[in-house]
Amino acid sequence: MSRVFRRLSSTTTITVKATPSKDHFHRQLPTSSFPKGYLATGIHVGVKKVAGVLDVGLIISTSQHPASAAACFTRNAFKAAPVVVSDQILSQNGGRARAVVVNSGCANAVTGRQGLDDAWAMVRETDALLPPLSSSSAQNHTLVMSTGVIGQNLPISKIVQGIRSQAAEDRSLASDFAAWERAAKAFMTTDTFPKLRSRVFTINGTDFRMAGMDKGAGMIHPDMGPATTSFGPLHATLLGCIFTDAAVSPRSLQSALTYAVERSFNSISVDGEMSTNDTILVLANGAAQQNNGQVVEIDEETDKQGYEIFKTELTQFAAELAQLVVRDGEGATKFVTVNVKGAPSYEVAHQVASRISTSALVKTAFYGEDANWGRILSAAGSISVPHLDPSKVSVTFLPSDKTASLPVLVNGEPEKVDEIRAKEILSLEEFGICVDLGGLGNEEATYWTCDFSYDYVRINGDYRS
Amino acid sequence: MSRVFRRLSSTTTITVKATPSKDHFHRQLPTSSFPKGYLATGIHVGVKKVAGVLDVGLIISTSQHPASAAACFTRNAFKAAPVVVSDQILSQNGGRARAVVVNSGCANAVTGRQGLDDAWAMVRETDALLPPLSSSSAQNHTLVMSTGVIGQNLPISKIVQGIRSQAAEDRSLASDFAAWERAAKAFMTTDTFPKLRSRVFTINGTDFRMAGMDKGAGMIHPDMGPATTSFGPLHATLLGCIFTDAAVSPRSLQSALTYAVERSFNSISVDGEMSTNDTILVLANGAAQQNNGQVVEIDEETDKQGYEIFKTELTQFAAELAQLVVRDGEGATKFVTVNVKGAPSYEVAHQVASRISTSALVKTAFYGEDANWGRILSAAGSISVPHLDPSKVSVTFLPSDKTASLPVLVNGEPEKVDEIRAKEILSLEEFGICVDLGGLGNEEATYWTCDFSYDYVRINGDYRS
């Protein structure tokens, strides 16, 4: 129970354990599980200085059906140029877009007029790669994303030249796993592995496919919403995009994405930091149905059942992608699931889970493998929950290895905790904590977070030098 | 501009610079600057295991005027027993109290019925030390505070015995500097120096004195209010108490304290963590006037001018005490003043300053002495400020050595920053940053924070073991 009172009185060395390898989260996936009607690639144009490191990614729809698109953007006041431009395109096109272009290495944020011009140039050049469609105009089919350092301009001529190379004979745009993997790699900044997943799902007897990629390891605590809404106080660069060969109406695609993002990307935290660039995009090109003649878009009003299946698939898929970001969190040695239940509303449960997941004291205790439930309770209590009765609150540690859970606080009373068992659970790379607010309601929320380690300080104490 | 991409692939050692010594903030103060009519001491009773380390503090008023008292308590839902008890006493006595008892080493938080009984026992025993007053009842004159580990019961018989020893002939209660210093030492947990200050001020030609002590180094991001009000979402253990020999009406003492706490203790952050025990108390015993016959209490309605002087003195004094906590922040190597101006309201300015001051990315950049203004801007932008125009926002670094300030963003446009000069400023132990929101109004707020270092992780990654 003695605490380390002293500060470091002289320059000293600290022994830091290795961060577990995350390589096994990078998986080989069957090409047949990827959505039809897309071409993807990643190329090196020189935004990043190291030769051969992919820094521009392209995913384009080749479907004759004009793909619908939806997005959730950062609520940060200082929105980066690509966020402003993508938002504008989606709104002008009534929720239709056919391509995504991304660069890593430079965020194109706080770059004024030049930044907007550069983002539009990326759109224009990618548009030129798209097959012509009889049913839509020739302009602004591309959504754009950037990630990297803030306050620097893009080397736009290198990027333009790179995108144009994909119109040449030796272009690398393709539809196999390796092509999708190149695109995912082009997203990476401090990521240690490319984050790419795919899945096959069935609606009304028809098979559809979904592929998605994301990036992010630090500055991760997104709070994103559809561009047209305005929310309260907010909170990464997190970029992600999901592509499906289902056909979904723009309106229903947006409402499914908004629901999914709240329960996935808006429910993760590495360091509590919202970025100027956070963006999640989804494209639905209907290519799975194209052989059947006319494409019918799934819509929440006309096909409630189909919509609900799609929404559930999208939410689960988004959660899987979101979790990859936490697993790769800067300096992270633990993956922790925080569940808050017994809440009067999802919002309250989400707010309490978020506060626990961002607490520096809780996260350093995780790093120290210390079952310090007092810190969890104190963090939870810093959120104002009406009618909360401390004498009904319970806290439980949940091991990931299917062994017995460990209650540490039951109805407001501390348990006699077996410290050896507690240490066993906390020494796992994955575990969970459950906070039961004690019957205020039946709502619950789940958040995913990581620990706070020496390596986070190392990585971020010396970013630009 | 290259970032450290890799994680630590094997167990390694990190060289950590020494935390600067804070000893010079512990000052010898003239006894004449301490308020009249108080006796103070600190004793060792055995809450802390190391022999001789002070763990119970006592400050009692000997004034014949029944002292008025005011408090700001944590807004945490899991209020510790001493918070509940002190709140109840203040409310029952109409804002009157004559003593403060504090223990360190155990927070008496999440301790159920036993915890409340123990807190009441501390009150009763301290009451017994007070000189009888003709004008008030014999019970519950003492406010109680605790700080330390959550979820453990107090060794109450040791504490009771210790307090009783002060009724014996060899008691250590006294009014000289050394006695006040003993009291301040009894507050300490992870603090590296006792935090004690005094000052003399004048109202309407009469000299008054004020003394104050506080403690705290981690779990510091208080959000405290008077017990009877209910605020929105909240956010240390921070304990502080201030004693004056002025006479102030209970109502005006509370309103002056509420104002002062907002601009001092509620404007500091070490790690963004609100505690279950945060408490600031103030006692005003009127002893300075006692030789003049009848005591007239300062009141905001009957003596506006006198009240305003008192409020200003209290606010400045509270800010000085609050800053000591940040200077001694766990692992802190920097003391940073964050000023946000051009805001439409104090609340907005305070909210933006708070967000910058708690950002892990901003604070690790401070540790790395990196003028990464993009992180400051991104943190500021995560607060929803209506009508904010990014093209009007400016950010400036302010050195503490009176050399020229360094603008890094002017009206939304990044400056060509002289990185050598930036490094010079950030290598100082103290500096400031100013964020101008660009003419949304004339309101401003100041926050005090520290950096986020390896040593914070070391101290908190292994608290209980």
Side-chain angles (χ1 to χ4, degrees), chain A residues 3 5 7 12 16 76-77 189 272-273 328 330 355 359-360 463, chain B residues 3 5 7 12 16 189 272-273 328 330 355 359-360 378 381 463:
Chain A
R3 187 159 181 182
F5 283 60
R7 308 297 191 265
T12 187
V16 180
N76 199 296
T189 55
E273 303 286 336
D328 203 20
E330 290 172 352
R355 183 66 198 91
S359 159
Y463 179 19
Chain B
R3 188 161 181 180
F5 283 61
R7 306 297 190 268
T12 187
V16 179
T189 55
E273 302 287 336
D328 203 21
E330 289 173 351
R355 182 68 199 90
S359 158
S378 185
Y463 179 16

PDB file of all heavy atoms in Angstrom, chain A residues 3 5 7 12 16 76-77 189 272-273 328 330 355 359-360 463, chain B residues 3 5 7 12 16 189 272-273 328 330 355 359-360 378 381 463:
ATOM      1  N   ARG A   3       3.000   4.060  -1.569  1.00  0.00           N
ATOM      2  CA  ARG A   3       3.046   4.659  -2.888  1.00  0.00           C
ATOM      3  C   ARG A   3       4.451   5.204  -3.154  1.00  0.00           C
ATOM      4  O   ARG A   3       5.185   5.537  -2.238  1.00  0.00           O
ATOM      5  CB  ARG A   3       2.037   5.803  -2.925  1.00  0.00           C
ATOM      6  CG  ARG A   3       1.859   6.400  -4.295  1.00  0.00           C
ATOM      7  CD  ARG A   3       0.548   7.120  -4.391  1.00  0.00           C
ATOM      8  NE  ARG A   3       0.363   7.671  -5.720  1.00  0.00           N
ATOM      9  CZ  ARG A   3      -0.671   8.376  -6.058  1.00  0.00           C
ATOM     10  NH1 ARG A   3      -1.637   8.612  -5.203  1.00  0.00           N
ATOM     11  NH2 ARG A   3      -0.814   8.854  -7.279  1.00  0.00           N
ATOM     12  N   PHE A   5       6.468   7.865  -3.581  1.00  0.00           N
ATOM     13  CA  PHE A   5       6.311   9.285  -3.259  1.00  0.00           C
ATOM     14  C   PHE A   5       7.306  10.146  -3.994  1.00  0.00           C
ATOM     15  O   PHE A   5       7.019  11.248  -4.394  1.00  0.00           O
ATOM     16  CB  PHE A   5       6.517   9.523  -1.755  1.00  0.00           C
ATOM     17  CG  PHE A   5       5.340   9.116  -0.936  1.00  0.00           C
ATOM     18  CD1 PHE A   5       4.885   7.821  -0.944  1.00  0.00           C
ATOM     19  CD2 PHE A   5       4.677  10.054  -0.168  1.00  0.00           C
ATOM     20  CE1 PHE A   5       3.790   7.462  -0.188  1.00  0.00           C
ATOM     21  CE2 PHE A   5       3.585   9.695   0.590  1.00  0.00           C
ATOM     22  CZ  PHE A   5       3.138   8.399   0.585  1.00  0.00           C
ATOM     23  N   ARG A   7       9.991  11.810  -6.563  1.00  0.00           N
ATOM     24  CA  ARG A   7      10.186  12.032  -7.979  1.00  0.00           C
ATOM     25  C   ARG A   7      11.567  11.502  -8.345  1.00  0.00           C
ATOM     26  O   ARG A   7      12.375  11.211  -7.455  1.00  0.00           O
ATOM     27  CB  ARG A   7      10.102  13.528  -8.318  1.00  0.00           C
ATOM     28  CG  ARG A   7       8.851  14.197  -7.795  1.00  0.00           C
ATOM     29  CD  ARG A   7       7.591  13.586  -8.435  1.00  0.00           C
ATOM     30  NE  ARG A   7       6.436  14.411  -8.116  1.00  0.00           N
ATOM     31  CZ  ARG A   7       5.619  14.195  -7.097  1.00  0.00           C
ATOM     32  NH1 ARG A   7       5.803  13.166  -6.315  1.00  0.00           N
ATOM     33  NH2 ARG A   7       4.605  14.998  -6.871  1.00  0.00           N
ATOM     34  N   THR A  12      17.855   9.025 -14.901  1.00  0.00           N
ATOM     35  CA  THR A  12      17.895   7.612 -14.579  1.00  0.00           C
ATOM     36  C   THR A  12      17.375   6.811 -15.761  1.00  0.00           C
ATOM     37  O   THR A  12      16.913   7.362 -16.740  1.00  0.00           O
ATOM     38  CB  THR A  12      17.060   7.338 -13.311  1.00  0.00           C
ATOM     39  OG1 THR A  12      17.237   5.998 -12.916  1.00  0.00           O
ATOM     40  CG2 THR A  12      15.600   7.625 -13.543  1.00  0.00           C
ATOM     41  N   VAL A  16      11.578  -0.870 -19.578  1.00  0.00           N
ATOM     42  CA  VAL A  16      10.254  -0.864 -20.175  1.00  0.00           C
ATOM     43  C   VAL A  16      10.047  -2.178 -20.892  1.00  0.00           C
ATOM     44  O   VAL A  16      10.869  -2.587 -21.714  1.00  0.00           O
ATOM     45  CB  VAL A  16      10.131   0.303 -21.180  1.00  0.00           C
ATOM     46  CG1 VAL A  16       8.761   0.319 -21.817  1.00  0.00           C
ATOM     47  CG2 VAL A  16      10.400   1.624 -20.474  1.00  0.00           C
ATOM     48  N   ASN A  76     -14.639  18.408 -34.787  1.00  0.00           N
ATOM     49  CA  ASN A  76     -13.651  19.416 -34.430  1.00  0.00           C
ATOM     50  C   ASN A  76     -13.935  20.724 -35.185  1.00  0.00           C
ATOM     51  O   ASN A  76     -14.328  20.717 -36.339  1.00  0.00           O
ATOM     52  CB  ASN A  76     -12.237  18.906 -34.782  1.00  0.00           C
ATOM     53  CG  ASN A  76     -11.157  19.685 -34.041  1.00  0.00           C
ATOM     54  OD1 ASN A  76     -10.982  20.879 -34.243  1.00  0.00           O
ATOM     55  ND2 ASN A  76     -10.432  18.994 -33.170  1.00  0.00           N
ATOM     56  N   ALA A  77     -13.744  21.851 -34.494  1.00  0.00           N
ATOM     57  CA  ALA A  77     -14.003  23.163 -35.099  1.00  0.00           C
ATOM     58  C   ALA A  77     -13.026  23.449 -36.235  1.00  0.00           C
ATOM     59  O   ALA A  77     -13.342  24.190 -37.163  1.00  0.00           O
ATOM     60  CB  ALA A  77     -13.902  24.254 -34.042  1.00  0.00           C
ATOM     61  N   THR A 189      -0.089   5.524 -40.740  1.00  0.00           N
ATOM     62  CA  THR A 189       0.872   6.523 -40.234  1.00  0.00           C
ATOM     63  C   THR A 189       1.681   5.859 -39.116  1.00  0.00           C
ATOM     64  O   THR A 189       2.695   5.232 -39.395  1.00  0.00           O
ATOM     65  CB  THR A 189       0.183   7.809 -39.728  1.00  0.00           C
ATOM     66  OG1 THR A 189      -0.796   7.492 -38.747  1.00  0.00           O
ATOM     67  CG2 THR A 189      -0.447   8.572 -40.878  1.00  0.00           C
ATOM     68  N   GLY A 272      -7.901   9.881 -25.814  1.00  0.00           N
ATOM     69  CA  GLY A 272      -8.862  10.956 -25.538  1.00  0.00           C
ATOM     70  C   GLY A 272      -8.787  12.139 -26.480  1.00  0.00           C
ATOM     71  O   GLY A 272      -9.345  13.185 -26.202  1.00  0.00           O
ATOM     72  N   GLU A 273      -8.101  11.998 -27.612  1.00  0.00           N
ATOM     73  CA  GLU A 273      -7.866  13.132 -28.497  1.00  0.00           C
ATOM     74  C   GLU A 273      -8.649  13.047 -29.804  1.00  0.00           C
ATOM     75  O   GLU A 273      -8.460  12.131 -30.590  1.00  0.00           O
ATOM     76  CB  GLU A 273      -6.371  13.211 -28.840  1.00  0.00           C
ATOM     77  CG  GLU A 273      -5.468  13.306 -27.638  1.00  0.00           C
ATOM     78  CD  GLU A 273      -5.506  14.671 -26.975  1.00  0.00           C
ATOM     79  OE1 GLU A 273      -5.847  15.661 -27.646  1.00  0.00           O
ATOM     80  OE2 GLU A 273      -5.189  14.734 -25.781  1.00  0.00           O
ATOM     81  N   ASP A 328      -3.921  -1.530 -31.843  1.00  0.00           N
ATOM     82  CA  ASP A 328      -2.653  -0.986 -32.335  1.00  0.00           C
ATOM     83  C   ASP A 328      -2.342   0.360 -31.684  1.00  0.00           C
ATOM     84  O   ASP A 328      -1.479   1.091 -32.145  1.00  0.00           O
ATOM     85  CB  ASP A 328      -2.728  -0.833 -33.855  1.00  0.00           C
ATOM     86  CG  ASP A 328      -1.359  -0.819 -34.516  1.00  0.00           C
ATOM     87  OD1 ASP A 328      -0.398  -1.303 -33.883  1.00  0.00           O
ATOM     88  OD2 ASP A 328      -1.254  -0.313 -35.643  1.00  0.00           O
ATOM     89  N   GLU A 330      -0.997   3.499 -29.735  1.00  0.00           N
ATOM     90  CA  GLU A 330       0.396   3.852 -29.451  1.00  0.00           C
ATOM     91  C   GLU A 330       0.791   3.417 -28.043  1.00  0.00           C
ATOM     92  O   GLU A 330       0.214   3.875 -27.066  1.00  0.00           O
ATOM     93  CB  GLU A 330       0.602   5.360 -29.638  1.00  0.00           C
ATOM     94  CG  GLU A 330       0.529   5.750 -31.117  1.00  0.00           C
ATOM     95  CD  GLU A 330       0.533   7.254 -31.362  1.00  0.00           C
ATOM     96  OE1 GLU A 330       0.438   8.018 -30.392  1.00  0.00           O
ATOM     97  OE2 GLU A 330       0.622   7.647 -32.532  1.00  0.00           O
ATOM     98  N   ARG A 355     -15.685   8.032 -20.010  1.00  0.00           N
ATOM     99  CA  ARG A 355     -14.866   8.667 -18.976  1.00  0.00           C
ATOM    100  C   ARG A 355     -13.888   7.660 -18.366  1.00  0.00           C
ATOM    101  O   ARG A 355     -12.715   7.975 -18.142  1.00  0.00           O
ATOM    102  CB  ARG A 355     -15.763   9.276 -17.880  1.00  0.00           C
ATOM    103  CG  ARG A 355     -14.989  10.010 -16.801  1.00  0.00           C
ATOM    104  CD  ARG A 355     -14.300  11.240 -17.361  1.00  0.00           C
ATOM    105  NE  ARG A 355     -13.226  11.723 -16.490  1.00  0.00           N
ATOM    106  CZ  ARG A 355     -11.955  11.355 -16.580  1.00  0.00           C
ATOM    107  NH1 ARG A 355     -11.562  10.522 -17.512  1.00  0.00           N
ATOM    108  NH2 ARG A 355     -11.062  11.838 -15.758  1.00  0.00           N
ATOM    109  N   SER A 359      -9.549   7.761 -18.603  1.00  0.00           N
ATOM    110  CA  SER A 359      -8.907   8.156 -17.345  1.00  0.00           C
ATOM    111  C   SER A 359      -7.434   7.762 -17.320  1.00  0.00           C
ATOM    112  O   SER A 359      -7.077   6.587 -17.426  1.00  0.00           O
ATOM    113  CB  SER A 359      -9.643   7.511 -16.169  1.00  0.00           C
ATOM    114  OG  SER A 359      -8.788   7.463 -15.038  1.00  0.00           O
ATOM    115  N   ALA A 360      -6.548   8.743 -17.138  1.00  0.00           N
ATOM    116  CA  ALA A 360      -5.111   8.486 -17.076  1.00  0.00           C
ATOM    117  C   ALA A 360      -4.779   7.569 -15.897  1.00  0.00           C
ATOM    118  O   ALA A 360      -3.910   6.701 -16.009  1.00  0.00           O
ATOM    119  CB  ALA A 360      -4.345   9.802 -16.959  1.00  0.00           C
ATOM    120  N   TYR A 463       7.489  13.738 -31.361  1.00  0.00           N
ATOM    121  CA  TYR A 463       6.812  13.433 -32.613  1.00  0.00           C
ATOM    122  C   TYR A 463       7.540  14.025 -33.824  1.00  0.00           C
ATOM    123  O   TYR A 463       7.878  13.331 -34.759  1.00  0.00           O
ATOM    124  CB  TYR A 463       5.390  13.973 -32.528  1.00  0.00           C
ATOM    125  CG  TYR A 463       4.507  13.785 -33.746  1.00  0.00           C
ATOM    126  CD1 TYR A 463       4.805  12.850 -34.722  1.00  0.00           C
ATOM    127  CD2 TYR A 463       3.370  14.555 -33.898  1.00  0.00           C
ATOM    128  CE1 TYR A 463       3.966  12.694 -35.815  1.00  0.00           C
ATOM    129  CE2 TYR A 463       2.536  14.395 -34.988  1.00  0.00           C
ATOM    130  CZ  TYR A 463       2.859  13.471 -35.953  1.00  0.00           C
ATOM    131  OH  TYR A 463       2.034  13.331 -37.038  1.00  0.00           O
TER     132      TYR A 463
ATOM    133  N   ARG B   3       8.230  10.471 -37.735  1.00  0.00           N
ATOM    134  CA  ARG B   3       7.666  10.107 -36.446  1.00  0.00           C
ATOM    135  C   ARG B   3       8.216   8.754 -36.029  1.00  0.00           C
ATOM    136  O   ARG B   3       8.606   7.950 -36.862  1.00  0.00           O
ATOM    137  CB  ARG B   3       6.142  10.029 -36.596  1.00  0.00           C
ATOM    138  CG  ARG B   3       5.443   9.838 -35.280  1.00  0.00           C
ATOM    139  CD  ARG B   3       3.994  10.226 -35.403  1.00  0.00           C
ATOM    140  NE  ARG B   3       3.340  10.053 -34.105  1.00  0.00           N
ATOM    141  CZ  ARG B   3       2.064  10.319 -33.902  1.00  0.00           C
ATOM    142  NH1 ARG B   3       1.314  10.771 -34.873  1.00  0.00           N
ATOM    143  NH2 ARG B   3       1.526  10.151 -32.725  1.00  0.00           N
ATOM    144  N   PHE B   5       7.683   5.453 -35.499  1.00  0.00           N
ATOM    145  CA  PHE B   5       6.605   4.553 -35.892  1.00  0.00           C
ATOM    146  C   PHE B   5       6.599   3.289 -35.067  1.00  0.00           C
ATOM    147  O   PHE B   5       5.578   2.737 -34.742  1.00  0.00           O
ATOM    148  CB  PHE B   5       6.761   4.144 -37.357  1.00  0.00           C
ATOM    149  CG  PHE B   5       6.342   5.210 -38.307  1.00  0.00           C
ATOM    150  CD1 PHE B   5       6.983   6.436 -38.326  1.00  0.00           C
ATOM    151  CD2 PHE B   5       5.298   4.991 -39.189  1.00  0.00           C
ATOM    152  CE1 PHE B   5       6.592   7.423 -39.213  1.00  0.00           C
ATOM    153  CE2 PHE B   5       4.905   5.974 -40.080  1.00  0.00           C
ATOM    154  CZ  PHE B   5       5.555   7.190 -40.094  1.00  0.00           C
ATOM    155  N   ARG B   7       7.001   0.335 -32.293  1.00  0.00           N
ATOM    156  CA  ARG B   7       6.809   0.096 -30.885  1.00  0.00           C
ATOM    157  C   ARG B   7       8.087  -0.508 -30.319  1.00  0.00           C
ATOM    158  O   ARG B   7       8.970  -0.931 -31.087  1.00  0.00           O
ATOM    159  CB  ARG B   7       5.646  -0.881 -30.671  1.00  0.00           C
ATOM    160  CG  ARG B   7       4.364  -0.463 -31.343  1.00  0.00           C
ATOM    161  CD  ARG B   7       3.855   0.850 -30.780  1.00  0.00           C
ATOM    162  NE  ARG B   7       2.495   1.111 -31.277  1.00  0.00           N
ATOM    163  CZ  ARG B   7       2.214   1.811 -32.371  1.00  0.00           C
ATOM    164  NH1 ARG B   7       3.179   2.359 -33.056  1.00  0.00           N
ATOM    165  NH2 ARG B   7       0.967   1.969 -32.751  1.00  0.00           N
ATOM    166  N   THR B  12      13.436  -2.905 -22.951  1.00  0.00           N
ATOM    167  CA  THR B  12      14.510  -1.948 -23.191  1.00  0.00           C
ATOM    168  C   THR B  12      14.573  -0.954 -22.049  1.00  0.00           C
ATOM    169  O   THR B  12      13.727  -0.965 -21.168  1.00  0.00           O
ATOM    170  CB  THR B  12      14.256  -1.228 -24.535  1.00  0.00           C
ATOM    171  OG1 THR B  12      15.378  -0.419 -24.834  1.00  0.00           O
ATOM    172  CG2 THR B  12      13.023  -0.354 -24.478  1.00  0.00           C
ATOM    173  N   VAL B  16      15.531   8.729 -18.552  1.00  0.00           N
ATOM    174  CA  VAL B  16      14.546   9.701 -18.119  1.00  0.00           C
ATOM    175  C   VAL B  16      15.252  10.808 -17.376  1.00  0.00           C
ATOM    176  O   VAL B  16      16.003  10.557 -16.437  1.00  0.00           O
ATOM    177  CB  VAL B  16      13.512   9.029 -17.193  1.00  0.00           C
ATOM    178  CG1 VAL B  16      12.483  10.023 -16.717  1.00  0.00           C
ATOM    179  CG2 VAL B  16      12.849   7.870 -17.917  1.00  0.00           C
ATOM    180  N   THR B 189       0.380  13.617   0.752  1.00  0.00           N
ATOM    181  CA  THR B 189       0.400  12.208   0.310  1.00  0.00           C
ATOM    182  C   THR B 189       1.568  12.043  -0.665  1.00  0.00           C
ATOM    183  O   THR B 189       2.677  11.761  -0.249  1.00  0.00           O
ATOM    184  CB  THR B 189      -0.936  11.767  -0.331  1.00  0.00           C
ATOM    185  OG1 THR B 189      -1.269  12.638  -1.403  1.00  0.00           O
ATOM    186  CG2 THR B 189      -2.049  11.772   0.700  1.00  0.00           C
ATOM    187  N   GLY B 272      -6.343  15.386 -15.171  1.00  0.00           N
ATOM    188  CA  GLY B 272      -7.735  15.321 -15.609  1.00  0.00           C
ATOM    189  C   GLY B 272      -8.638  14.475 -14.740  1.00  0.00           C
ATOM    190  O   GLY B 272      -9.736  14.116 -15.151  1.00  0.00           O
ATOM    191  N   GLU B 273      -8.194  14.148 -13.523  1.00  0.00           N
ATOM    192  CA  GLU B 273      -8.952  13.218 -12.684  1.00  0.00           C
ATOM    193  C   GLU B 273      -9.593  13.920 -11.486  1.00  0.00           C
ATOM    194  O   GLU B 273      -8.904  14.469 -10.638  1.00  0.00           O
ATOM    195  CB  GLU B 273      -8.019  12.128 -12.160  1.00  0.00           C
ATOM    196  CG  GLU B 273      -7.320  11.341 -13.242  1.00  0.00           C
ATOM    197  CD  GLU B 273      -8.246  10.383 -13.969  1.00  0.00           C
ATOM    198  OE1 GLU B 273      -9.264   9.987 -13.402  1.00  0.00           O
ATOM    199  OE2 GLU B 273      -7.926  10.042 -15.117  1.00  0.00           O
ATOM    200  N   ASP B 328       3.840  20.858  -8.190  1.00  0.00           N
ATOM    201  CA  ASP B 328       4.264  19.590  -7.575  1.00  0.00           C
ATOM    202  C   ASP B 328       3.585  18.391  -8.243  1.00  0.00           C
ATOM    203  O   ASP B 328       3.586  17.297  -7.712  1.00  0.00           O
ATOM    204  CB  ASP B 328       3.909  19.627  -6.079  1.00  0.00           C
ATOM    205  CG  ASP B 328       4.761  18.661  -5.257  1.00  0.00           C
ATOM    206  OD1 ASP B 328       5.848  18.285  -5.733  1.00  0.00           O
ATOM    207  OD2 ASP B 328       4.333  18.298  -4.147  1.00  0.00           O
ATOM    208  N   GLU B 330       2.502  15.139 -10.172  1.00  0.00           N
ATOM    209  CA  GLU B 330       3.253  13.882 -10.293  1.00  0.00           C
ATOM    210  C   GLU B 330       4.008  13.820 -11.611  1.00  0.00           C
ATOM    211  O   GLU B 330       3.408  13.836 -12.685  1.00  0.00           O
ATOM    212  CB  GLU B 330       2.287  12.701 -10.158  1.00  0.00           C
ATOM    213  CG  GLU B 330       1.787  12.552  -8.720  1.00  0.00           C
ATOM    214  CD  GLU B 330       0.702  11.515  -8.539  1.00  0.00           C
ATOM    215  OE1 GLU B 330       0.185  11.004  -9.546  1.00  0.00           O
ATOM    216  OE2 GLU B 330       0.372  11.221  -7.387  1.00  0.00           O
ATOM    217  N   ARG B 355      -9.688  21.954 -21.786  1.00  0.00           N
ATOM    218  CA  ARG B 355      -9.447  20.875 -22.746  1.00  0.00           C
ATOM    219  C   ARG B 355      -7.987  20.847 -23.181  1.00  0.00           C
ATOM    220  O   ARG B 355      -7.380  19.780 -23.272  1.00  0.00           O
ATOM    221  CB  ARG B 355     -10.374  21.037 -23.966  1.00  0.00           C
ATOM    222  CG  ARG B 355     -10.223  19.922 -24.982  1.00  0.00           C
ATOM    223  CD  ARG B 355     -10.725  18.592 -24.438  1.00  0.00           C
ATOM    224  NE  ARG B 355     -10.222  17.438 -25.173  1.00  0.00           N
ATOM    225  CZ  ARG B 355      -9.086  16.791 -24.874  1.00  0.00           C
ATOM    226  NH1 ARG B 355      -8.336  17.154 -23.859  1.00  0.00           N
ATOM    227  NH2 ARG B 355      -8.705  15.758 -25.597  1.00  0.00           N
ATOM    228  N   SER B 359      -5.106  17.686 -22.446  1.00  0.00           N
ATOM    229  CA  SER B 359      -4.795  16.884 -23.631  1.00  0.00           C
ATOM    230  C   SER B 359      -3.484  16.120 -23.471  1.00  0.00           C
ATOM    231  O   SER B 359      -2.415  16.709 -23.267  1.00  0.00           O
ATOM    232  CB  SER B 359      -4.704  17.801 -24.855  1.00  0.00           C
ATOM    233  OG  SER B 359      -3.941  17.181 -25.869  1.00  0.00           O
ATOM    234  N   ALA B 360      -3.566  14.787 -23.573  1.00  0.00           N
ATOM    235  CA  ALA B 360      -2.368  13.947 -23.451  1.00  0.00           C
ATOM    236  C   ALA B 360      -1.350  14.295 -24.535  1.00  0.00           C
ATOM    237  O   ALA B 360      -0.139  14.297 -24.291  1.00  0.00           O
ATOM    238  CB  ALA B 360      -2.755  12.467 -23.542  1.00  0.00           C
ATOM    239  N   SER B 378      -5.994  21.434 -32.251  1.00  0.00           N
ATOM    240  CA  SER B 378      -6.911  20.299 -32.360  1.00  0.00           C
ATOM    241  C   SER B 378      -7.665  20.089 -31.051  1.00  0.00           C
ATOM    242  O   SER B 378      -8.875  19.839 -31.048  1.00  0.00           O
ATOM    243  CB  SER B 378      -6.115  19.053 -32.748  1.00  0.00           C
ATOM    244  OG  SER B 378      -6.968  17.970 -32.965  1.00  0.00           O
ATOM    245  N   GLY B 381     -10.234  22.823 -30.678  1.00  0.00           N
ATOM    246  CA  GLY B 381     -11.342  22.622 -31.628  1.00  0.00           C
ATOM    247  C   GLY B 381     -12.294  21.520 -31.240  1.00  0.00           C
ATOM    248  O   GLY B 381     -13.380  21.396 -31.800  1.00  0.00           O
ATOM    249  N   TYR B 463       0.833   2.050  -8.050  1.00  0.00           N
ATOM    250  CA  TYR B 463       0.446   2.801  -6.876  1.00  0.00           C
ATOM    251  C   TYR B 463       0.364   1.932  -5.614  1.00  0.00           C
ATOM    252  O   TYR B 463       0.982   2.203  -4.612  1.00  0.00           O
ATOM    253  CB  TYR B 463      -0.909   3.449  -7.140  1.00  0.00           C
ATOM    254  CG  TYR B 463      -1.493   4.279  -6.006  1.00  0.00           C
ATOM    255  CD1 TYR B 463      -0.728   4.715  -4.936  1.00  0.00           C
ATOM    256  CD2 TYR B 463      -2.831   4.638  -6.023  1.00  0.00           C
ATOM    257  CE1 TYR B 463      -1.271   5.484  -3.921  1.00  0.00           C
ATOM    258  CE2 TYR B 463      -3.383   5.402  -5.019  1.00  0.00           C
ATOM    259  CZ  TYR B 463      -2.595   5.813  -3.959  1.00  0.00           C
ATOM    260  OH  TYR B 463      -3.153   6.568  -2.973  1.00  0.00           O
TER     261      TYR B 463
END
